[in-house]
Amino acid sequence: MKKLVFSACLLLAASACKKEQKPDLVNQHVDFACVHVADSFWSPRLERVARVTIPVCIDQTEVQTGRIHNFENAATGEGGHSGIFFDDSDVYKALESIAYSLTNYPDPAMEATADDWIAKIAAAQQKDGYINTYYTLTGLDRRWTDMDKHEMYCAGHLIEAGIAYNKATGKRTLLDVGIRMADHIMSLFNEQGRHWVPGHEEIELAMVKLYEQTGERKYLDYAHWLLSQRGHGYGYTENGIKDSLNRWNAPYYQDAVPVCDLRSISGHAVRSMYLYCGMCDVAARIAGTGYEEALDTLWEDVTKRNMYVTGGIGVAYCTEGFANDYELPNKEAYCETCASVGMALWNSRMAERTGDAKYYDILERSVYNAMLAGINLDGNLFFYVNPLASDGNHHRKAWYGCACCPSNICRFMASLGNYIYAANDTALYVNLYIGNEAAFKVGKEDVSLAMTTRYPWAGRTDILFRSGMKKRLLLRVPGWCRHFTLSVNGEPVEAAVRNGYASLRGCWREGDTVSIEFDMPVEVVSADPRVKADEGRRAVQRGPLVYCAEQTDNPADIESITLTDSTRLNAVCEPDLLGEVVAVDGVSPSSPDVSFRLIPYYAWDNRAAGKMAVWLKYE
Ligand code: FUB
Ligand code: ZN
């Protein structure tokens, strides 16, 4: 049955699987529609997104909150607006999630729901193409007066959803709504018209997607123009975040300098991530933007001085953003789930731009730790904030007033297959080790593969060629891995590692199997000494996973857990714990008894409430 569904997806996705190589990208990711995830770790999670999490988003949108009523009211002009001014974006992100999910988990009832919402959205669009239920219901005369009111942010999510739904179903109503809104925006704000600095980035990357979808160059140029608006003092807000002089807080909005002069991260974390995505997208398609140096320097700043061991970013509650370099408190960490999704979106683009595996190291860290913690094991409770320590009072919730995170996790997970492979005319890159069956083009060749793995629990992955391939095979060697072995059809082989990829010859026959095995010992890691919060502390990692101590496993105060150089740390397979995990048991040298237990960080707060800590005392 699964196979049949998979073949249908391949047909639908045929165009996605035959993309032309972008000249300024080293490689391009293989579209998730060509990659059927079949993996003991991820498949149950993706199925839960389809069967539980998206239905939660639907229920919240239709029943528990006024999100869909806002569109109904905007269409009739009767009734008021409820919720936050950017709640429309949650509806669009839910639709984008539905679109991705339908590709792998066809669901006619869910598709009918989506069609129903889309009809309501289309009915709410103004004649001039404008669509935003907040202003339609509170006073269209005030639209486009405050750059922090997220009109372009919502439009960006609308466009992304319209493209996704068109690709998944062939239907184009939502895409056309998005195109009309894009054209409306472009008619108002442009070189001859008004300046505008989108207070929350998102529209930039969406315009590039719209260019890819329609082939209309104007959308790409417009994304470039929007980026060029930053750093010239054009920003204005009535009710948004202000500086000490009561003006638009330019650093918060990534608007203090022109984007090609950005060298250090500032302000809001999610906005920064989406901005950097837009910059990558434009730089890959327009020569001479000058964004590359900014992007490379920003990446160093984010990952070396402002990122948690979990891959989470953003510290400050007041700005949902970055603080001083190395200021990374654990209990007070913000680490919004959306910011981790943003890290994945940005790092995958950086990898396409450079062909360097180090970006996938960061993507993997963010996804398997900070992002995955954002959802519980049952798929129906969410963290917005993902601290690295808790007194026992931080718990996932069924929903949030500001509910950006649940649908962001959904859309990311439902399109997880995007991050496994990338290709160019001469090589196939393997970026993540996630079991799958895939069929796609590498250059002009049709390639079909099956990957099997027990990652992240075990280090071995087998890749079976179901077709021949005359291209190099580049296998990412994760940054955490100190030793690995490779074999082809059971015979050990050696391979040079360049840019983080083990590179293998370029002539494969149907039936060949390449196996790569990473040693996956338990490792104790320390933070940069400048991180005050982690002084005298260590964290535990195994493979891509960061571990934590939870009170329910460690009834004595977790603050008393102490690692020493002689503590033995044993990896223990626990098939029945937390949906299957490898736990890490600490045994002190003076006693054979287990003195503490650690579990993967992503799995915390799924049992009895209690304290949690990632960074443990070290003596
Ligand atoms: O403002 C829209 C979204 O809501 C942001 O991305 C999140 O940080 C939250 O503030
Ligand atoms: Zn969020």
Side-chain angles (χ1 to χ4, degrees), residues 86-137:
F86 54 84
D87 276 359
D88 292 358
S89 63
D90 297 334
V91 181
Y92 301 144
K93 280 193 289 177
L95 279 166
E96 187 184 345
S97 310
I98 290 172
Y100 297 151
S101 184
L102 288 176
T103 304
N104 281 315
Y105 298 94
D107 183 335
M110 194 181 276
E111 188 171 337
T113 299
D115 289 339
D116 177 51
W117 289 7
I118 289 167
K120 290 175 176 162
I121 291 166
Q125 185 160 41
Q126 303 299 298
K127 282 202 172 58
D128 62 5
Y130 183 80
I131 177 157
N132 184 290
T133 68
Y134 172 74
Y135 278 114
T136 303
L137 292 168

Side-chain angles (χ1 to χ4, degrees), residues 536-573:
R537 293 182 178 270
R538 296 288 185 273
V540 172
Q541 270 183 213
R542 181 171 179 274
L545 299 177
V546 173
Y547 280 72
C548 68
E550 252 199 315
Q551 193 173 340
T552 184
D553 298 310
N554 302 285
D557 192 354
I558 59 172
E559 265 304 307
S560 67
I561 294 175
T562 306
L563 292 168
T564 68
D565 286 340
S566 49
T567 307
R568 280 207 320 275
L569 294 169
N570 301 327
V572 185
C573 291

Side-chain angles (χ1 to χ4, degrees), residues 93 270 336-339 384 402-406 408:
K93 280 193 289 177
V270 183
E336 183 182 338
T337 301
C338 284
Y384 187 116
C402 171
C404 46
C405 299
N408 228 350

Side-chain angles (χ1 to χ4, degrees), residues 273 276-277 280 295 298-299 342-350:
M273 293 301 108
Y276 307 161
C277 287
C280 282
L295 287 164
L298 289 164
W299 188 83
M343 278 286 268
L345 299 176
W346 177 37
N347 277 282
S348 65
R349 286 162 162 88
M350 293 291 276

